[in-house]
Amino acid sequence: MRAANLSIGFVPTMGALHYGHLSLIEAAKKKCDIVVCSIFVNPTQFNQESDLNAYPRTLENDIQLLLSCSCDILFHPEVSEMYGESMEKESTEDYGNFIHVLEGASRPGHFDGVVTVLRKLFLLVLPHQVFFGQKDYQQCLVVQTLIHRSFPEIIFHLCPIAREMDGLAMSSRNVRLTEAERALAPKIFENLSLVANNWKKDYWQSVLSQASINLQQEPFVFEYLSACDPKSLRELDTFQENAIILVAVRLGSTRLIDNLIIQA
Ligand code: PAF
């Protein structure tokens, strides 16, 4: 396809597809001739085997969804095809300080696994353009660094978060929420919006504390709610107009992340 001068857009996923993934595929189709989607539950990016085993796998449904949208090629390799004998990971230690905070701190080694599999996928698929969702914002910064260092010819696209009607960010993990947890989950976006709507020099710290307190109420298990610089992910100690608010909480056995970018 490259030889035929067709442009290749790539949407890497771990399956359990939902509208958020389909929106990435549609974004890719607008920019490229051919859209490749990969489904590969990458073992090296999971910290706990229980999380890997519990990760939803819905291949038949995923294939139906891909047939219904603009995907041209599904790449669905086996673990042995991607890793052979060795599950060795490359290191992201020297990617910069942003690698060690937030998800990097909560899930040690996670980004090493992400970079390891994406290098393999990029070398196999040879995309011209890649499409990633803003929900995994820190992962997007990691991917941009990988591209900058090793695949400078690939164009990176940061695509908006797809949300349910009540604001909950779409995620493959949402299917694991009980009915009661699902009813509470929109509070995550509500509190991000509370911060964004009161993002003023005099209030930003008090509103951040209030949102953190709100997300510490049972049954939420609070991990972080942090206002950071969007480029460096350095936690803000003074007010700045352009910021990103990132949050991670657990509801029962499900860990949920979300974020909101605030622009002047
Ligand atoms: O975001 C994901 O689904 C995964 O981290 C990715 C990018 C497909 C790598 O396994």
Side-chain angles (χ1 to χ4, degrees):
M1 286 173 179
R2 276 186 160 249
N5 254 341
L6 296 173
S7 58
I8 299 167
F10 181 37
V11 179
T13 80
M14 298 208 297
L17 301 183
H18 49 70
Y19 176 76
H21 296 111
L22 301 193
S23 71
L24 299 178
I25 290 169
E26 296 306 335
K29 194 65 189 184
K30 284 202 180 114
K31 301 260 181 204
C32 302
D33 300 315
I34 300 293
V35 180
V36 181
C37 171
S38 65
I39 295 181
F40 180 66
V41 183
N42 173 33
T44 63
Q45 71 186 73
F46 287 83
N47 304 82
Q48 283 164 356
E49 200 153 323
S50 55
D51 195 23
L52 170 64
N53 294 336
Y55 200 82
R57 289 165 171 84
T58 56
L59 186 62
E60 279 315 311
N61 190 53
D62 292 349
I63 291 173
Q64 290 311 317
L65 285 175
L66 292 175
L67 286 169
S68 76
C69 72
S70 307
C71 179
D72 297 294
I73 296 176
L74 165 62
F75 180 45
H76 175 54
E78 296 293 330
V79 173
S80 57
E81 288 177 85
M82 293 298 283
Y83 282 98
E85 301 281 278
S86 155
M87 297 291 262
E88 213 171 295
K89 297 195 262 191
E90 60 181 91
S91 170
T92 51
E93 188 62 34
D94 65 347
Y95 269 44
N97 289 338
F98 79 90
I99 207 90
H100 302 295
V101 298
L102 307 168
E103 293 304 288
S106 300
R107 307 175 68 188
H110 166 67
F111 290 127
D112 293 353
V114 170
V115 164
T116 303
V117 79
L118 286 179
R119 184 183 299 281
K120 290 172 190 286
L121 287 167
F122 289 173
L123 288 171
L124 288 165
V125 175
L126 298 176
H128 294 95
Q129 306 192 32
V130 293
F131 298 78
F132 284 81
Q134 184 198 310
K135 189 171 84 65
D136 295 300
Y137 186 81
Q138 194 174 7
Q139 168 171 280
C140 289
L141 295 187
V142 173
V143 179
Q144 282 174 297
T145 309
L146 170 69
I147 288 177
H148 177 74
R149 289 185 175 189
S150 303
F151 302 94
E153 68 290 352
I154 295 182
I155 299 170
F156 175 89
H157 295 275
L158 178 73
C159 302
I161 299 177
R163 297 189 179 278
E164 303 288 355
M165 293 287 275
D166 57 13
L168 176 65
M170 290 188 184
S171 164
S172 304
R173 290 171 196 261
N174 292 353
V175 295
R176 283 162 53 179
L177 296 169
T178 63
E179 210 174 305
E181 288 162 357
R182 175 64 189 82
L184 287 170
K187 291 211 172 300
I188 301 168
F189 182 61
E190 264 169 48
N191 280 284
L192 285 175
S193 306
L194 175 76
V195 176
N197 294 336
N198 292 284
W199 194 248
K200 309 235 164 58
K201 199 164 191 263
D202 294 339
Y203 313 127
W204 70 285
Q205 277 166 316
S206 57
V207 84
L208 266 178
S209 311
Q210 185 56 56
S212 302
I213 292 168
N214 296 345
L215 290 175
Q216 281 164 29
Q217 307 306 309
E218 273 186 32
F220 284 101
V221 177
F222 179 82
E223 282 197 17
Y224 60 77
L225 178 95
S226 198
C228 297
D229 176 81
K231 287 205 177 96
S232 66
L233 285 190
R234 184 186 52 79
E235 189 160 17
L236 299 187
D237 44 22
T238 51
F239 178 75
Q240 64 182 52
E241 291 202 320
N242 293 338
I244 179 164
I245 318 300
L246 303 110
V247 61
V249 293
R250 272 183 288 127
L251 265 176
S253 59
T254 311
R255 187 169 183 278
L256 299 171
I257 59 171
D258 199 352
N259 65 72
L260 202 55
I261 295 174
I262 303 174
Q263 271 166 336

Short mmCIF file of all heavy atoms in Angstrom, two decimals, residues 57-85:
data_model
loop_
_atom_site.label_atom_id
_atom_site.label_comp_id
_atom_site.label_asym_id
_atom_site.label_seq_id
_atom_site.Cartn_x
_atom_site.Cartn_y
_atom_site.Cartn_z
N ARG A 57 -12.09 -8.94 27.06
CA ARG A 57 -11.74 -9.40 25.70
C ARG A 57 -13.04 -9.73 24.97
O ARG A 57 -13.76 -10.65 25.39
CB ARG A 57 -10.83 -10.63 25.78
CG ARG A 57 -9.41 -10.29 26.27
CD ARG A 57 -8.67 -11.54 26.68
NE ARG A 57 -7.26 -11.30 26.97
CZ ARG A 57 -6.78 -10.87 28.14
NH1 ARG A 57 -7.61 -10.59 29.12
NH2 ARG A 57 -5.48 -10.73 28.32
N THR A 58 -13.34 -8.97 23.92
CA THR A 58 -14.65 -9.08 23.25
C THR A 58 -14.44 -9.10 21.74
O THR A 58 -15.04 -8.32 21.01
CB THR A 58 -15.53 -7.87 23.64
OG1 THR A 58 -14.81 -6.65 23.29
CG2 THR A 58 -15.84 -7.82 25.12
N LEU A 59 -13.57 -10.03 21.27
CA LEU A 59 -13.12 -9.98 19.88
C LEU A 59 -14.27 -10.02 18.86
O LEU A 59 -14.26 -9.24 17.91
CB LEU A 59 -12.11 -11.11 19.60
CG LEU A 59 -11.49 -11.05 18.22
CD1 LEU A 59 -10.69 -9.77 18.02
CD2 LEU A 59 -10.60 -12.26 17.96
N GLU A 60 -15.25 -10.92 19.07
CA GLU A 60 -16.33 -11.04 18.08
C GLU A 60 -17.07 -9.71 17.92
O GLU A 60 -17.33 -9.24 16.82
CB GLU A 60 -17.31 -12.16 18.47
CG GLU A 60 -16.82 -13.55 18.09
CD GLU A 60 -16.24 -13.60 16.66
OE1 GLU A 60 -16.91 -13.11 15.73
OE2 GLU A 60 -15.10 -14.08 16.48
N ASN A 61 -17.38 -9.11 19.07
CA ASN A 61 -18.07 -7.82 19.05
C ASN A 61 -17.19 -6.73 18.42
O ASN A 61 -17.66 -5.89 17.64
CB ASN A 61 -18.46 -7.44 20.49
CG ASN A 61 -19.38 -6.24 20.51
OD1 ASN A 61 -20.40 -6.23 19.84
ND2 ASN A 61 -18.99 -5.22 21.24
N ASP A 62 -15.88 -6.77 18.74
CA ASP A 62 -14.95 -5.79 18.18
C ASP A 62 -14.94 -5.87 16.66
O ASP A 62 -14.95 -4.85 15.96
CB ASP A 62 -13.51 -6.05 18.69
CG ASP A 62 -13.36 -5.77 20.18
OD1 ASP A 62 -14.30 -5.19 20.76
OD2 ASP A 62 -12.32 -6.13 20.74
N ILE A 63 -14.92 -7.12 16.14
CA ILE A 63 -14.88 -7.30 14.68
C ILE A 63 -16.15 -6.71 14.05
O ILE A 63 -16.08 -6.02 13.03
CB ILE A 63 -14.70 -8.79 14.32
CG1 ILE A 63 -13.28 -9.23 14.73
CG2 ILE A 63 -14.95 -9.05 12.84
CD1 ILE A 63 -13.00 -10.73 14.60
N GLN A 64 -17.29 -6.96 14.69
CA GLN A 64 -18.54 -6.40 14.16
C GLN A 64 -18.47 -4.87 14.12
O GLN A 64 -18.87 -4.24 13.14
CB GLN A 64 -19.75 -6.84 15.01
CG GLN A 64 -20.09 -8.31 14.88
CD GLN A 64 -20.16 -8.79 13.44
OE1 GLN A 64 -20.72 -8.12 12.56
NE2 GLN A 64 -19.56 -9.94 13.15
N LEU A 65 -17.93 -4.28 15.21
CA LEU A 65 -17.83 -2.81 15.25
C LEU A 65 -16.89 -2.31 14.15
O LEU A 65 -17.18 -1.31 13.48
CB LEU A 65 -17.32 -2.35 16.61
CG LEU A 65 -18.34 -2.40 17.76
CD1 LEU A 65 -17.68 -2.02 19.08
CD2 LEU A 65 -19.51 -1.45 17.47
N LEU A 66 -15.78 -3.02 13.96
CA LEU A 66 -14.81 -2.58 12.94
C LEU A 66 -15.42 -2.70 11.54
O LEU A 66 -15.14 -1.87 10.67
CB LEU A 66 -13.51 -3.39 13.04
CG LEU A 66 -12.69 -3.11 14.31
CD1 LEU A 66 -11.48 -4.03 14.39
CD2 LEU A 66 -12.24 -1.65 14.37
N LEU A 67 -16.26 -3.74 11.34
CA LEU A 67 -16.91 -3.89 10.03
C LEU A 67 -17.90 -2.75 9.79
O LEU A 67 -18.17 -2.38 8.65
CB LEU A 67 -17.64 -5.24 9.96
CG LEU A 67 -16.73 -6.46 9.80
CD1 LEU A 67 -17.52 -7.76 10.01
CD2 LEU A 67 -16.07 -6.47 8.43
N SER A 68 -18.44 -2.20 10.91
CA SER A 68 -19.47 -1.16 10.76
C SER A 68 -18.86 0.23 10.57
O SER A 68 -19.58 1.19 10.34
CB SER A 68 -20.37 -1.15 12.01
OG SER A 68 -19.67 -0.52 13.08
N CYS A 69 -17.55 0.36 10.70
CA CYS A 69 -16.96 1.70 10.55
C CYS A 69 -15.90 1.68 9.44
O CYS A 69 -15.86 0.77 8.63
CB CYS A 69 -16.41 2.20 11.88
SG CYS A 69 -14.92 1.37 12.40
N SER A 70 -15.03 2.70 9.44
CA SER A 70 -14.13 2.87 8.28
C SER A 70 -12.81 2.12 8.41
O SER A 70 -11.85 2.47 7.73
CB SER A 70 -13.81 4.35 8.10
OG SER A 70 -14.98 5.10 8.05
N CYS A 71 -12.77 1.10 9.25
CA CYS A 71 -11.51 0.35 9.40
C CYS A 71 -11.29 -0.54 8.17
O CYS A 71 -12.21 -1.21 7.72
CB CYS A 71 -11.58 -0.50 10.66
SG CYS A 71 -10.09 -1.46 10.91
N ASP A 72 -10.07 -0.53 7.65
CA ASP A 72 -9.78 -1.38 6.48
C ASP A 72 -9.10 -2.68 6.89
O ASP A 72 -9.31 -3.72 6.28
CB ASP A 72 -8.87 -0.62 5.50
CG ASP A 72 -9.56 0.61 4.95
OD1 ASP A 72 -10.56 0.43 4.22
OD2 ASP A 72 -9.16 1.74 5.29
N ILE A 73 -8.21 -2.59 7.89
CA ILE A 73 -7.43 -3.78 8.25
C ILE A 73 -7.40 -3.91 9.77
O ILE A 73 -7.13 -2.94 10.49
CB ILE A 73 -5.97 -3.65 7.73
CG1 ILE A 73 -5.97 -3.59 6.21
CG2 ILE A 73 -5.11 -4.80 8.24
CD1 ILE A 73 -4.60 -3.36 5.60
N LEU A 74 -7.69 -5.13 10.24
CA LEU A 74 -7.50 -5.44 11.66
C LEU A 74 -6.24 -6.28 11.81
O LEU A 74 -6.09 -7.30 11.11
CB LEU A 74 -8.71 -6.22 12.20
CG LEU A 74 -8.49 -6.92 13.56
CD1 LEU A 74 -8.20 -5.92 14.67
CD2 LEU A 74 -9.71 -7.76 13.92
N PHE A 75 -5.36 -5.85 12.69
CA PHE A 75 -4.16 -6.62 13.01
C PHE A 75 -4.33 -7.15 14.42
O PHE A 75 -4.43 -6.38 15.37
CB PHE A 75 -2.92 -5.72 12.90
CG PHE A 75 -1.62 -6.43 13.20
CD1 PHE A 75 -1.34 -7.68 12.66
CD2 PHE A 75 -0.67 -5.84 14.02
CE1 PHE A 75 -0.14 -8.33 12.93
CE2 PHE A 75 0.54 -6.48 14.29
CZ PHE A 75 0.79 -7.73 13.74
N HIS A 76 -4.41 -8.48 14.55
CA HIS A 76 -4.73 -9.08 15.85
C HIS A 76 -3.72 -10.20 16.14
O HIS A 76 -4.03 -11.38 16.03
CB HIS A 76 -6.16 -9.62 15.80
CG HIS A 76 -6.56 -10.36 17.02
ND1 HIS A 76 -6.46 -9.84 18.29
CD2 HIS A 76 -7.06 -11.62 17.18
CE1 HIS A 76 -6.89 -10.73 19.17
NE2 HIS A 76 -7.25 -11.82 18.52
N PRO A 77 -2.49 -9.81 16.50
CA PRO A 77 -1.45 -10.84 16.68
C PRO A 77 -1.56 -11.58 18.01
O PRO A 77 -2.22 -11.11 18.94
CB PRO A 77 -0.16 -10.00 16.65
CG PRO A 77 -0.58 -8.67 17.17
CD PRO A 77 -2.00 -8.45 16.74
N GLU A 78 -0.89 -12.71 18.08
CA GLU A 78 -0.76 -13.48 19.33
C GLU A 78 0.42 -12.91 20.13
O GLU A 78 1.33 -12.31 19.53
CB GLU A 78 -0.43 -14.95 19.01
CG GLU A 78 -1.51 -15.70 18.27
CD GLU A 78 -2.75 -15.90 19.12
OE1 GLU A 78 -2.62 -15.98 20.36
OE2 GLU A 78 -3.85 -15.91 18.54
N VAL A 79 0.44 -13.18 21.42
CA VAL A 79 1.55 -12.71 22.27
C VAL A 79 2.88 -13.26 21.74
O VAL A 79 3.88 -12.55 21.64
CB VAL A 79 1.33 -13.13 23.74
CG1 VAL A 79 2.55 -12.80 24.59
CG2 VAL A 79 0.09 -12.45 24.30
N SER A 80 2.88 -14.54 21.32
CA SER A 80 4.14 -15.17 20.85
C SER A 80 4.64 -14.49 19.57
O SER A 80 5.84 -14.36 19.36
CB SER A 80 3.93 -16.65 20.62
OG SER A 80 2.89 -16.82 19.69
N GLU A 81 3.72 -14.01 18.72
CA GLU A 81 4.15 -13.33 17.48
C GLU A 81 4.82 -12.00 17.79
O GLU A 81 5.74 -11.57 17.10
CB GLU A 81 2.94 -13.03 16.59
CG GLU A 81 2.33 -14.23 15.91
CD GLU A 81 1.10 -13.82 15.12
OE1 GLU A 81 1.25 -13.41 13.97
OE2 GLU A 81 0.00 -13.87 15.69
N MET A 82 4.34 -11.34 18.84
CA MET A 82 4.86 -10.01 19.17
C MET A 82 6.13 -10.10 20.01
O MET A 82 7.00 -9.25 19.91
CB MET A 82 3.81 -9.19 19.93
CG MET A 82 2.59 -8.84 19.11
SD MET A 82 3.00 -7.80 17.69
CE MET A 82 3.22 -6.22 18.48
N TYR A 83 6.21 -11.12 20.86
CA TYR A 83 7.32 -11.14 21.82
C TYR A 83 8.26 -12.33 21.66
O TYR A 83 9.33 -12.33 22.27
CB TYR A 83 6.76 -11.12 23.26
CG TYR A 83 6.32 -9.74 23.67
CD1 TYR A 83 4.98 -9.35 23.60
CD2 TYR A 83 7.25 -8.79 24.10
CE1 TYR A 83 4.58 -8.07 23.97
CE2 TYR A 83 6.85 -7.51 24.48
CZ TYR A 83 5.51 -7.16 24.41
OH TYR A 83 5.14 -5.90 24.77
N GLY A 84 7.90 -13.35 20.90
CA GLY A 84 8.76 -14.52 20.80
C GLY A 84 9.00 -15.10 22.19
O GLY A 84 8.08 -15.21 23.00
N GLU A 85 10.25 -15.39 22.48
CA GLU A 85 10.61 -16.02 23.76
C GLU A 85 10.76 -14.99 24.87
O GLU A 85 10.65 -15.31 26.04
CB GLU A 85 11.96 -16.75 23.64
CG GLU A 85 12.01 -17.84 22.58
CD GLU A 85 11.34 -19.10 23.09
OE1 GLU A 85 12.01 -19.86 23.81
OE2 GLU A 85 10.14 -19.31 22.76
#
